[in-house]
Amino acid sequence: MEKDTIYVKKITQIKDRHIGRAYFASIAIALTLIAQIVIPKSDTLITKALPWYTGLLVIALAITTILAIYYTFFGGLKRFVFKSYFIGAAFLALGLYNLVTLKFTLLKPVFFPAPERIIDVLIVDSGFLLKCLLHSAQLLAYGLGIGIITGLATGILIGWYSSWNYWLEPIVKSVGPIPSTAFIPVALSAFATSYQAAVFLIALASWFPITVLTQSGVVNVKKTFFEVADTLGATDFQKIFHVAVPGALPNIFVGIFNGTCGAFLTLMSAEMIGVRYGIGWYINWQREIMSYANVYAGLVVIAVSFSLMIAILFKIRDYVLRWQKGIIKW
């Protein structure tokens, strides 16, 4: 009986501790909101005040409070409770940045605009930002698509056939590690337009990691699988696409993730060599005219879009590799 009582007390303590954690985000946002309302704007700033940052804090406070109350009475929402510290810390950091820019102007407002200015750009200039984002997405899709196809083909060839390995692996090892941006002069000379050059650079950035990890995955598939396939009379084509490639899929997805990161980084540089529109082009243009609020807004768009793209890739990987659930830990 005493053991049961102690167990119930421990469970209650754990739940109480999690309830406190659930409200951390709301408390942090509330403190940030109070600072925004109580502390006046610096007198050195002649620009008019904008309501966007305050509105963002009010909305965030309402959402986190509702989620915390729901957790208190109904449970669930474990992911929100787990992220509550991070959410609160993020808003506290944003509040600190707001203090040193809008309230006390400890940083030069030309180079470090207040959060309300950045949010204003995201709202007022949203149509043009979306247009630039769509141009970047199209360019990235072309380059990354070519990089994935060529990377998979090269990786399978050098991983499966010794003759292809003999000729291609030295080229991969010598050319692959060179940053794709180093080929900008070559690409501009070799292709008719800067857009084609940008597609080539993005494809090159994603090709190398996909090739290397595809080769590694094919080589490391257990030999017993191929022995069974031989026993069943499988052809080379069947062994490649029914044994080697499925067995190498975990490595292939890691290569695609790395290739996507490399392609996204190269995209920003590629759009600065003459490509019309695109987020990289937008950031470079706004930097040249000293409009740093727009630059930061472009960076926010990049961060959000890249996070969404990676999240989608993880969902695709989980779906494709659902047959390996419980065997491989990510």
Side-chain angles (χ1 to χ4, degrees):
M1 193 71 178
E2 291 181 0
K3 290 183 179 180
D4 293 339
T5 304
I6 294 172
Y7 178 76
V8 171
K9 287 183 178 179
K10 287 183 178 180
I11 294 297
T12 305
Q13 290 173 356
I14 293 172
K15 186 177 180 181
D16 291 341
R17 186 163 63 246
H18 286 172
I19 288 175
R21 181 170 183 165
Y23 284 94
F24 179 82
S26 301
I27 296 170
I29 296 170
L31 293 175
T32 307
L33 180 61
I34 291 171
Q36 167 67 2
I37 295 173
V38 173
I39 302 175
K41 186 181 73 169
S42 173
D43 296 332
T44 59
L45 294 176
I46 59 174
T47 55
K48 67 175 183 179
L50 297 170
W52 309 122
Y53 176 62
T54 304
L56 172 66
L57 294 178
V58 170
I59 294 172
L61 178 61
I63 293 174
T64 53
T65 302
I66 291 171
L67 292 177
I69 293 173
Y70 183 90
Y71 172 78
T72 302
F73 291 99
F74 303 103
L77 300 176
K78 292 182 179 179
R79 186 171 180 81
F80 164 72
V81 176
F82 177 73
K83 290 288 186 179
S84 181
Y85 286 158
F86 178 82
I87 295 170
F91 274 96
L92 288 175
L94 184 62
L96 179 62
Y97 177 76
N98 186 61
L99 290 177
V100 300
T101 54
L102 182 68
K103 305 298 184 179
F104 304 129
T105 59
L106 299 178
L107 299 173
K108 292 183 179 181
V110 175
F111 301 105
F112 299 96
E116 62 182 28
R117 300 289 163 189
I118 301 171
I119 299 172
D120 182 64
V121 173
L122 290 171
I123 295 174
V124 175
D125 214 19
S126 59
F128 190 66
L129 282 169
L130 179 60
K131 181 179 179 180
C132 290
L133 181 61
L134 292 176
H135 276 78
S136 294
Q138 184 184 48
L139 179 59
L140 183 66
Y142 287 149
L144 186 58
I146 294 172
I148 290 174
I149 293 171
T150 55
L152 289 174
T154 309
I156 292 171
L157 287 174
I158 64 178
W160 183 262
Y161 298 103
S162 58
S163 58
W164 284 95
N165 183 283
Y166 176 82
W167 291 105
L168 287 182
E169 189 174 33
I171 298 175
V172 171
K173 289 184 176 179
S174 59
V175 176
I178 301 175
S180 59
T181 51
F183 291 95
I184 288 178
V186 178
L188 290 174
S189 302
F191 293 93
T193 65
S194 58
Y195 192 89
Q196 293 174 356
V199 171
F200 166 75
L201 294 172
I202 294 169
L204 183 62
S206 57
W207 164 77
F208 175 66
I210 295 172
T211 296
V212 171
L213 284 159
T214 300
Q215 176 199 10
S216 175
V218 171
V219 169
N220 290 308
V221 174
K222 291 182 179 180
K223 303 301 180 185
T224 52
F225 295 164
F226 298 114
E227 292 173 358
V228 173
D230 286 330
T231 303
L232 296 174
T235 63
D236 272 0
F237 181 86
Q238 291 172 328
K239 285 187 286 186
I240 290 172
F241 291 100
H242 291 279
V243 180
V245 172
L249 276 177
N251 287 61
I252 290 173
F253 273 107
V254 174
I256 292 175
F257 290 145
N258 292 337
T260 302
C261 293
F264 209 89
L265 292 173
T266 306
L267 172 69
M268 298 299 106
S269 300
E271 288 182 336
M272 297 177 185
I273 62 174
V275 175
R276 187 66 175 170
Y277 299 115
I279 293 297
W281 168 85
Y282 177 86
I283 291 174
N284 190 50
W285 169 46
Q286 297 298 330
R287 178 187 60 81
E288 289 176 348
I289 64 176
M290 300 288 288
S291 183
Y292 280 89
N294 297 67
V295 171
Y296 284 100
L299 293 175
V300 171
V301 171
I302 290 173
V304 172
S305 57
F306 184 70
S307 299
L308 287 174
M309 185 169 61
I310 291 297
I312 292 171
L313 284 176
F314 270 103
K315 292 294 183 182
I316 294 173
R317 182 208 64 185
D318 292 341
Y319 177 78
V320 173
L321 297 181
R322 62 192 184 279
W323 56 276
Q324 291 186 336
K325 187 176 181 180
I327 300 174
I328 295 178
K329 293 183 179 181
W330 296 91

